Amino acid sequence: MAAQRPSLDPGVAAALAAAVLFGASTPLAKPLLGQTSPWLLAALLYLGSGLGLWLLRRLRKAPAVRLEAGERWWLAGAIVAGGMVAPVLLMLGLARMPASGVSLLLNAEGVATALLAWFAFKENFDRRIALGMLAIVAGSLVLTWPGADAAGAGFETWWPALAVLGACLAWGLDNNLTRKVSLTDASYIAMSKGLAAGATNLVLALIAGAQWPGAGIVLAAGLLGFASYGASLVLFVLGLRHLGTARTGAYFSVAPFIGALLSILLLGEPVTGPLLLAGLLMAIGVALHLTERHEHEHRHEPMEHEHTHVHSTGDLHHAHEHDPPVPPGTRHRHGHRHEPMTHSHGHFPDAHHRHEH
């Protein structure tokens, strides 16, 4: 009998929580840009993420992580694209645009993530996911269409908008590269990205002449980075592990709307008709994603790998034997082998369901 999936998949919950944390970053970072340069702020945000997660891992006595040679290159590419290039481009755009406009433009990240996942990395998708993505994009277009002037989203020039769109493309590439190492400890991935990218951008920003801000600004940027970049990335990686890249990016696409809403509440930007219409379109898109159920008969080829999993007889893919036996519900990590299996059940394109369609 096929296992019943819970009403809210853990991957879905993780992706939506990541969206809330990241969505809050744009309106909260906007006031900090008046006190420091965009490049230096991007560095401080990622350093706060990396240092906070390093301290958390130390307190939890997290085990050391060993990456395979091939995985190191995937992670290095993700660090460059998503940790070094994207945040600098985002802060450059945010310095010249209203926070609500930047938040809404970040919808392009979900689109870039999905398109790269579908066409470059050959991840499957279905009509419901594609329609949901189109609804979310339509909501963004309503707000950014010339003359809409929704929530202060008009652009002084196209260059700031192009910088934000460039950040979205870089993060879309980052998301797909990170998926390649998503079975690795999520906090280690986020910590590595924060420390490497933050330190590199800090040095480059200071060489370029950025002035060091006051201690209060440094602390605020570090805390914001830990929550909106560090914790958010950990949750995003967990979503990748369960849902695959395109679907995680689809759920994460609610982040821009959260950012626009917080811009209204925190920065006093007006509520407009286009904003409400965009909210409705995005809600329809998210509803289509939440109600997706992908099920068909599929065959699992033999596979050996190692990752953290819960030993449970209800898990069709981790009901293997242990010597000595372990109680059901035990969360542990070890190398294990999946035997060939043909069955049918609801699933996402996670690490165990990357089959052809």
Side-chain angles (χ1 to χ4, degrees):
M1 178 182 295
Q4 295 296 313
R5 199 172 69 191
S7 57
L8 186 63
D9 186 278
V12 174
L16 291 176
V20 171
L21 290 174
F22 183 75
S25 67
T26 301
L28 293 179
K30 180 68 174 178
L32 300 178
L33 281 168
Q35 310 294 324
T36 187
S37 76
W39 202 341
L40 185 56
L41 180 57
L44 292 174
L45 289 170
Y46 265 78
L47 268 181
S49 164
L51 291 172
L53 290 172
W54 173 82
L55 179 60
L56 186 62
R57 286 177 58 81
R58 295 278 293 184
L59 292 174
R60 292 174 50 207
K61 297 182 179 178
V65 173
R66 184 181 72 257
L67 292 176
E68 300 296 332
E71 292 179 328
R72 295 192 192 103
W73 288 108
W74 294 121
L75 182 57
I79 288 172
V80 172
M84 296 174 61
V85 176
V88 173
L89 290 175
L90 176 62
M91 291 301 116
L92 288 172
L94 184 58
R96 299 287 301 276
M97 289 173 56
S100 57
V102 172
S103 294
L104 296 167
L105 268 182
L106 287 175
N107 272 296
E109 180 187 344
V111 178
T113 298
L115 291 176
L116 286 169
W118 295 342
F119 298 111
F121 291 89
K122 308 303 180 184
E123 187 172 298
N124 74 79
F125 65 97
D126 59 25
R127 186 178 303 173
R128 196 177 195 87
I129 287 292
L131 289 175
M133 184 67 71
L134 286 175
I136 292 171
V137 173
S140 179
L141 290 176
V142 167
L143 286 157
T144 57
W145 196 259
D149 195 28
F155 306 146
E156 182 180 320
T157 70
W158 283 110
W159 289 110
L162 290 175
V164 177
L165 291 174
C168 292
L169 179 60
W171 267 319
L173 178 59
D174 168 25
N175 296 336
N176 280 279
L177 295 176
T178 301
R179 187 247 173 101
K180 296 289 189 178
V181 294
S182 61
L183 290 180
T184 304
D185 188 319
S187 66
Y188 174 83
I189 293 174
M191 178 195 72
S192 300
K193 183 179 294 185
L195 291 176
T200 302
N201 276 332
L202 178 64
V203 171
L204 293 175
L206 293 176
I207 290 174
Q211 297 297 310
W212 193 259
I217 299 300
V218 174
L219 179 61
L223 291 174
L224 178 59
F226 173 67
S228 294
Y229 285 32
S232 176
L233 180 55
V234 171
L235 291 166
F236 189 87
V237 173
L238 293 176
L240 290 174
R241 186 179 299 169
H242 288 277
L243 306 178
T245 313
R247 287 165 177 80
T248 304
Y251 290 114
F252 193 74
S253 290
V254 303
F257 185 65
I258 292 168
L261 179 62
L262 289 177
S263 297
I264 293 169
L265 297 176
L266 300 178
L267 305 179
E269 296 179 355
V271 178
T272 65
L275 181 65
L276 295 176
L277 176 57
L280 175 61
L281 288 168
M282 290 180 179
I284 292 172
V286 173
L288 286 168
H289 296 154
L290 286 170
T291 54
E292 178 210 10
R293 184 168 179 83
H294 181 76
E295 181 171 354
H296 60 90
E297 184 174 276
H298 55 278
R299 174 176 172 78
H300 295 271
E301 300 299 332
M303 177 193 301
E304 291 187 19
H305 61 179
E306 178 180 334
H307 64 93
T308 301
H309 59 280
V310 176
H311 173 56
S312 170
T313 55
D315 184 338
L316 298 175
H317 304 290
H318 296 102
H320 45 257
E321 298 295 329
H322 291 74
D323 186 19
V326 297
T330 299
R331 183 178 180 82
H332 59 182
R333 179 187 182 100
H334 63 87
H336 55 278
R337 175 180 171 82
H338 296 277
E339 299 299 335
M341 179 192 305
T342 300
H343 60 178
S344 175
H345 66 97
H347 61 279
F348 292 113
D350 57 23
H352 302 95
H353 295 94
R354 295 175 185 173
H355 46 255
E356 297 295 327
H357 289 74

